[in-house]
Amino acid sequence: MTEHSIFRKETRAAVAASSAVYERQPYFIRNYSRCRELLLTEKDPEGAAEAVRFGIMHARLLHLDCYLLPIVYIDWMLPELLKDLKKQGIPDTVIMESLRDIEIWIQSYRKYHQGQVGLDRIEWVFRSLAGKVQRFGSLQFEKVTYEFPFLVLENRQSGKLQAMAYPDLVADQDGYFAGTNARKSVSIVKTELEYREGNLHGYCADLKRGTLNVEEKASYCLENWEVKLVPGEEAVAVHIPEGADLSPDSIDASLHAAKSYYENSILICESWMLDPHLELILPQTSRVVNFMHRFYKIPVMADRPQILERVMGFDFTMDKLLQFPCTTSLQSALKKYLSEGNEMFTTAGFMPWNDNTTGRNTGL
């Protein structure tokens, strides 16, 4: 058992009890070696997570505590992980803040498994272990390929931002992608995007509502507007850890600290915390609402709103709504809002990332 401070006492005890059991099985030594190679040498957290899932299957076959296996593997490789992350030039404080995300997901697992120690968000955690996701203060940051189907434009004089939809997207009557929340489409609009004579013609996002403006098309002259972000380019994504301090000062400090590490000028995010409907269930002084206002909003396709699992619980379904026992004011407000037939939406967004970035940068 490695001595370190990223695990709680009960996690360390569970790992210590199971580690010797796994060490005695040659299969798990081989499986661990493959996982270690994928994570540390090949920097492939997705492949490493898949290798661990095979290990979990084998552990279940042997009636072992199978979801403790990923934590055992992490414990075994932790000294090498720390050296590798330092070699990447990541500051020690950022390394420790990033690794503490592991315990957050261990506690989440315990909540839904009668207090049992385990980890099932393996791929996400391995992205932190590989140095791909890094935590600076309140927020996590990750270099990603920008995939939202919108061109981000910036006015060359005012700095104002706009988003134009790629062609052949299907939106419903309210400007959400058809099928979002499994809602019925009364009518649909298929987007178009055309470039001719120095102008872009197409459908734009309503950056305040997080929908497509399906009522009319717009035109932007590229002499006056610069294309800042195109699908397929590198971007930096923002993630909000559970329990993060969302006070404006803490968010500003997090953005400022991370800015010195990344070169991108635009941040992207996809979260329930970007849904403009939060204003209808939370006070204007809410830290979540303040965070939401930092972003220009665009729609994203999601089968069900992320807020259901993140606020009500990962085992929540809408048929449990009326009997759901609320323990927080946000749960109570959300329950009332949904029981009245209203909807919430997972929403994507972007924001300029510069030295003047603040909670008022969108002007929305």
Side-chain angles (χ1 to χ4, degrees):
M1 177 70 187
T2 305
E3 291 297 328
H4 52 77
S5 60
I6 68 168
F7 293 140
R8 292 188 181 183
K9 182 178 179 180
E10 61 269 20
T11 302
R12 296 198 299 270
V15 170
S18 295
S19 186
V21 176
Y22 283 115
E23 282 181 328
R24 289 195 295 267
Q25 297 279 348
Y27 168 81
F28 294 110
I29 298 300
R30 296 193 302 270
N31 183 241
Y32 165 73
S33 295
R34 180 56 178 156
C35 171
R36 174 188 166 281
E37 178 186 14
L38 287 165
L39 193 60
L40 292 178
T41 304
E42 300 184 21
K43 296 294 187 292
D44 180 6
E46 294 80 10
E50 184 65 18
V52 175
R53 279 189 280 271
F54 283 111
I56 289 172
M57 291 170 56
H58 194 69
R60 185 183 293 118
L61 182 67
L62 299 177
H63 305 291
L64 299 176
D65 194 350
C66 59
Y67 279 101
L68 189 58
L69 182 67
I71 311 174
V72 171
Y73 283 1
I74 292 170
D75 181 70
W76 287 355
M77 73 176 75
L78 190 64
E80 287 184 276
L81 279 167
L82 292 172
K83 290 180 182 178
D84 182 71
L85 292 171
K86 291 179 180 180
K87 191 181 296 183
Q88 294 182 42
I90 304 172
D92 288 349
T93 55
V94 175
I95 291 174
M96 296 312 298
E97 286 179 343
S98 301
L99 292 183
R100 289 193 182 101
D101 189 59
I102 303 169
E103 188 63 58
I104 291 175
W105 289 110
I106 291 172
Q107 295 306 313
S108 175
Y109 184 92
R110 294 188 69 194
K111 178 179 177 181
Y112 296 101
H113 295 85
Q114 294 76 50
Q116 185 177 0
V117 176
L119 178 67
D120 55 4
R121 297 282 170 147
I122 304 167
E123 182 178 322
W124 170 252
V125 165
F126 277 13
R127 283 155 66 183
S128 291
L129 297 181
K132 294 182 179 295
V133 176
Q134 298 178 31
R135 182 165 181 171
F136 291 79
S138 292
L139 302 175
Q140 293 169 312
F141 300 83
E142 180 183 18
K143 287 184 180 180
V144 298
T145 299
Y146 174 65
E147 296 181 343
F148 300 136
F150 290 88
L151 296 175
V152 177
L153 310 177
E154 181 182 60
N155 187 281
R156 298 179 188 275
Q157 291 188 335
S158 68
K160 179 181 178 181
L161 297 178
Q162 186 51 270
M164 298 195 76
Y166 257 36
D168 301 322
L169 305 174
V170 180
D172 66 17
Q173 63 280 355
D174 297 315
Y176 296 103
F177 289 134
T180 297
N181 287 2
R183 66 204 312 261
K184 184 177 180 180
S185 297
V186 177
S187 62
I188 60 172
V189 172
K190 192 172 184 179
T191 61
E192 302 171 6
L193 183 61
E194 185 180 10
Y195 174 76
R196 62 174 183 271
E197 298 179 353
N199 293 276
L200 284 171
H201 306 272
Y203 289 91
C204 290
D206 183 324
L207 299 177
K208 185 175 182 179
R209 295 180 61 241
T211 60
L212 272 170
N213 183 355
V214 295
E215 300 297 326
E216 59 181 358
K217 291 190 285 186
S219 296
Y220 289 91
C221 176
L222 294 185
E223 286 187 1
N224 302 322
W225 291 81
E226 178 185 0
V227 179
K228 296 291 290 185
L229 190 58
V230 178
E233 293 185 323
E234 181 183 274
V236 174
V238 176
H239 306 289
I240 308 98
E242 183 176 341
D245 180 0
L246 296 182
S247 64
D249 287 347
S250 293
I251 296 300
D252 287 343
S254 181
L255 293 170
H256 180 73
K259 183 67 174 69
S260 62
Y261 191 83
Y262 299 95
E263 298 178 353
N264 303 69
S265 61
I266 293 180
L267 290 172
I268 63 173
C269 185
E270 179 180 339
S271 174
W272 66 271
M273 290 190 184
L274 269 58
D275 186 359
H277 294 87
L278 289 166
E279 290 188 302
L280 302 177
I281 64 173
L282 291 173
Q284 290 298 310
T285 55
S286 164
R287 293 178 176 183
V288 175
V289 171
N290 179 277
F291 182 80
M292 179 267 292
H293 278 308
R294 292 173 180 264
F295 289 84
Y296 294 91
K297 271 74 74 177
I298 53 179
V300 64
M301 175 63 191
D303 294 334
R304 67 197 300 261
Q306 187 189 52
I307 193 173
L308 298 183
E309 63 180 40
R310 295 304 170 88
V311 173
M312 308 302 253
F314 283 94
D315 57 349
F316 176 82
T317 56
M318 283 297 291
D319 58 3
K320 299 179 181 178
L321 178 65
L322 295 180
Q323 291 75 37
F324 184 81
C326 299
T327 58
T328 69
S329 58
L330 177 54
Q331 288 177 339
S332 298
L334 178 60
K335 178 178 179 178
K336 180 178 184 298
Y337 184 77
L338 294 174
S339 64
E340 293 172 350
N342 299 306
E343 289 184 275
M344 301 295 290
F345 295 85
T346 304
T347 306
F350 58 92
M351 64 178 286
W353 195 9
N354 51 52
D355 293 336
N356 296 317
T357 294
T358 69
R360 296 177 293 277
N361 63 16
T362 65
L364 298 178

